[in-house]
Amino acid sequence: MALLQNGALERRFLSFINREQLFDQTDCILLTISGGLDSVVMAELFRSAGLRYGMAHVNFQLRGAESEGDEAFVKELAEQHGVRFHTVRLAAKNESEAQGISTQMAARKLRYDWFEQVAEEFDYARIATAHHQDDVLETILLNLVRGTGLTGLKGVPVRQGRIIRPLWFADRTMIEAYAQNGGIRWREDSSNASDKYHRNRLRHQVVPVLKEINPNLLETLQTTVARLRSADALVDAEIRRSWEKLAEMRPEGIFLSIEQLLLLEEWEYRLAEWLKPYGFQYAQLGDMAETVRADGFGQQFYSATHLLIRDRDYLMIKPRQAAPAQTLILDAIPATTLNVFGQYELYFELIPRSGDFQIPVDSNIACLDAERIQWPLTIRIWQNGDRFRPLGVKGHQTVGNFLTNRKVTIAERQSARVLVSGDRIAWLVGYRPDDYFRITDQTRTILKIERRFPAQR
């Protein structure tokens, strides 16, 4: 890019803010000031334009006297500009060790969290950082090295929530020329000269070679990023449209039809994008895709917050939660209806056996020989190893096999409950009573239990 006179840079600065609609002229903006070249020039551009702003500085105390000097410099700068100054001291190393992440990542999280707090408390409309085109290029290169999709190829966005980048249009050479022409002082961070950090190695060793190949690299980059932003917006719209069409919201979780999923173009990519908000990683996609293509069910994948389950006909997404005990103990027949953890209600009734009594053909109703019932009764989630003899079936079988043979969905399996009398399962609720409790000619009193869902009331 050609060097600009200071007045020209100031005009481009205001033009960029207006074109991108970063904020209104009456808004007060929180400027994040490290004391380095870029942020100090940003502050000067705000001052020369007569905009409203305050300054915020974070001291991570990582460079001893140098860190103290940076804080003092920014405080003095705010006084010279006649604006409010905010500062805080944060321990990035402690956060890094606690979260198991790099010091740089910890510092970034702490810094932005604090900026948001200050903006909220002091009513700043936006938070401005001094990222520019060289930062955009370095971020794209870093993302390429680490592996990325379309979003990562856009580099640093112009806006991100409350955060804005009013210097996004400029490059480092222009910013440095502006400072030198205006006699502006700034602080040099000694760590920027070290190739210890990946970004610095790219800046010092890779970017110069790219600029030799294409002297107009940064101008080309702006055009490329603009095209990538448009492409990403189109892809994102299609991802949302297909998600809204396919995703079925149920109380148990979100269900995705496998049959419909496989009909979509690039369904694997769509699935990865759909799952991203739920904490799943692209590295998991290969195994997930194999699971979708294969027969069978029951495979599970975990993120930090969610669970993906492959059922027979669906993929199910549900939050990861520690299952509560969810056990009810009844010492006698309840005087009123029994609410079973908000999922359904059970109605209990003792009925004298009569010759014209007909057992309802309804899996939600169990008719048991009351004299064979041992109190207390326990209602709980079924467990591996639970066995019973389903009414009308020869021999015992596990509850798990019974549910599998009936092709019960994963969600329904996980919430299935048994009613236990003594050491016997009397009823797999909603499915089948145990044969031991069947009604016979000798039965004198029937314990009728009916399961009803809220819509049935």
Side-chain angles (χ1 to χ4, degrees):
M1 286 184 178
L3 298 183
L4 300 174
Q5 295 298 318
N6 283 17
L9 183 63
E10 290 163 359
R11 287 192 294 275
R12 285 193 61 179
F13 171 71
L14 288 175
S15 175
F16 180 76
I17 290 172
N18 291 331
R19 184 174 72 250
E20 296 292 332
Q21 298 181 336
L22 296 185
F23 55 89
D24 294 329
Q25 189 173 2
T26 56
D27 289 339
C28 192
I29 311 301
L30 180 64
L31 308 186
T32 61
I33 309 296
S34 66
L37 169 66
D38 305 333
S39 62
V40 171
V41 165
M42 177 174 69
E44 179 59 26
L45 288 168
F46 267 79
R47 186 199 64 76
S48 65
L51 300 171
R52 301 176 62 227
Y53 61 98
M55 297 187 191
H57 175 80
V58 180
N59 185 347
F60 287 109
Q61 308 164 82
L62 296 173
R63 293 174 287 115
E66 191 176 334
S67 293
E68 299 303 314
D70 291 346
E71 181 180 335
F73 175 84
V74 179
K75 180 179 181 182
E76 181 183 352
L77 183 68
E79 291 172 353
Q80 292 171 359
H81 283 228
V83 299
R84 180 179 280 155
F85 174 61
H86 310 273
T87 188
V88 70
R89 297 190 172 209
L90 301 173
K93 284 187 176 179
N94 293 345
E95 180 72 9
S96 170
E97 293 171 359
Q99 299 295 328
I101 56 179
S102 70
T103 302
Q104 283 185 311
M105 289 181 64
R108 184 182 187 284
K109 181 181 185 304
L110 289 170
R111 182 168 65 245
Y112 279 96
D113 285 350
W114 180 69
F115 292 152
E116 290 285 353
Q117 292 173 16
V118 174
E120 190 69 30
E121 181 178 354
F122 293 91
D123 200 27
Y124 289 103
R126 296 286 185 268
I127 301 166
T129 70
H131 293 92
H132 48 73
Q133 282 298 294
D134 289 87
D135 296 311
V136 174
L137 175 60
E138 291 163 8
T139 300
I140 290 173
L141 293 174
L142 276 173
N143 289 341
L144 276 172
V145 171
R146 294 167 178 163
T148 189
L150 268 178
T151 301
L153 292 178
K154 295 187 300 181
V156 182
V158 174
R159 63 169 59 79
Q160 198 170 17
R162 201 198 300 249
I163 298 167
I164 58 173
R165 276 97 185 192
L167 293 188
W168 192 92
F169 70 95
D171 67 17
R172 186 173 287 113
T173 302
M174 293 165 52
I175 291 169
E176 187 170 353
Y178 180 89
Q180 291 175 345
N181 292 340
I184 297 171
R185 297 185 304 113
W186 68 87
R187 298 276 296 179
E188 289 288 358
D189 184 340
S190 60
S191 66
N192 286 338
S194 170
D195 282 351
K196 172 183 176 182
Y197 303 109
H198 294 157
R199 183 178 290 272
N200 287 356
R201 291 178 65 186
L202 287 171
R203 181 180 303 161
H204 300 150
Q205 300 179 29
V206 177
V207 172
V209 176
L210 297 177
K211 288 183 176 179
E212 283 182 15
I213 296 172
N214 180 5
N216 297 318
L217 177 63
L218 295 182
E219 291 180 358
T220 304
L221 178 68
Q222 289 202 32
T223 302
T224 300
V225 169
R227 294 168 67 182
L228 287 169
R229 286 168 65 181
S230 297
D232 190 47
L234 287 172
V235 170
D236 188 55
E238 172 58 21
I239 293 294
R240 288 199 308 272
R241 184 200 66 77
S242 55
W243 166 262
E244 291 168 359
K245 183 177 180 180
L246 197 63
E248 182 182 346
M249 308 299 172
R250 300 184 190 175
E252 310 97 300
I254 303 171
F255 284 72
L256 304 173
S257 166
I258 292 175
E259 180 181 6
Q260 293 181 40
L261 174 64
L262 292 174
L263 293 175
L264 295 174
E265 292 184 72
E266 303 296 340
W267 66 264
E268 294 180 33
Y269 179 77
R270 293 174 193 261
L271 181 61
E273 292 299 306
W274 292 341
L275 294 176
K276 192 184 297 181
Y278 301 99
F280 293 96
Q281 302 297 315
Y282 197 84
Q284 297 173 279
L285 182 62
D287 290 338
M288 290 177 180
E290 286 299 318
T291 295
V292 171
R293 293 190 191 94
D295 292 330
F297 68 98
Q299 298 90 338
Q300 301 184 4
F301 299 89
Y302 296 88
S303 74
T305 58
H306 284 76
L307 175 66
L308 177 73
I309 304 171
R310 204 283 194 195
D311 207 341
R312 285 185 174 83
D313 301 316
Y314 292 90
L315 294 177
M316 182 177 70
I317 307 165
K318 60 184 292 187
R320 291 181 66 175
Q321 297 175 345
Q326 294 204 346
T327 297
L328 295 173
I329 298 177
L330 306 178
D331 293 319
I333 293 177
T336 59
T337 58
L338 180 68
N339 186 300
V340 182
F341 304 103
Q343 293 187 341
Y344 52 79
E345 293 178 340
L346 293 179
Y347 291 71
F348 290 77
E349 183 182 6
L350 278 178
I351 303 173
R353 172 71 186 279
S354 62
D356 59 352
F357 178 81
Q358 297 291 321
I359 299 175
V361 183
D362 186 340
S363 61
N364 283 311
I365 298 176
C367 290
L368 312 175
D369 189 329
E371 293 180 0
R372 292 203 163 196
I373 295 294
Q374 294 183 34
W375 297 90
L377 296 178
T378 301
I379 300 172
R380 60 169 173 79
I381 296 288
W382 72 278
Q383 303 167 356
N384 288 332
D386 277 346
R387 297 176 64 84
F388 77 133
R389 183 181 175 185
L391 181 65
V393 175
K394 291 183 179 181
H396 289 74
Q397 59 183 256
T398 65
V399 171
N401 284 342
F402 178 86
L403 296 173
T404 298
N405 293 336
R406 291 179 60 86
K407 297 184 178 180
V408 175
T409 68
I410 295 291
E412 291 169 338
R413 287 171 65 94
Q414 291 181 337
S415 61
R417 290 181 170 82
V418 291
L419 183 145
V420 181
S421 170
D423 59 357
R424 294 176 182 269
I425 292 176
W427 184 27
L428 176 53
V429 180
Y431 295 98
R432 194 77 61 86
D434 187 284
D435 191 76
Y436 175 79
F437 299 91
R438 72 186 185 279
I439 305 303
T440 68
D441 292 340
Q442 285 73 44
T443 301
R444 293 182 294 179
T445 306
I446 298 168
L447 175 61
K448 180 183 176 184
I449 312 172
E450 181 176 356
R451 179 174 73 160
R452 294 184 186 176
F453 295 93
Q456 295 176 269
R457 295 174 192 169

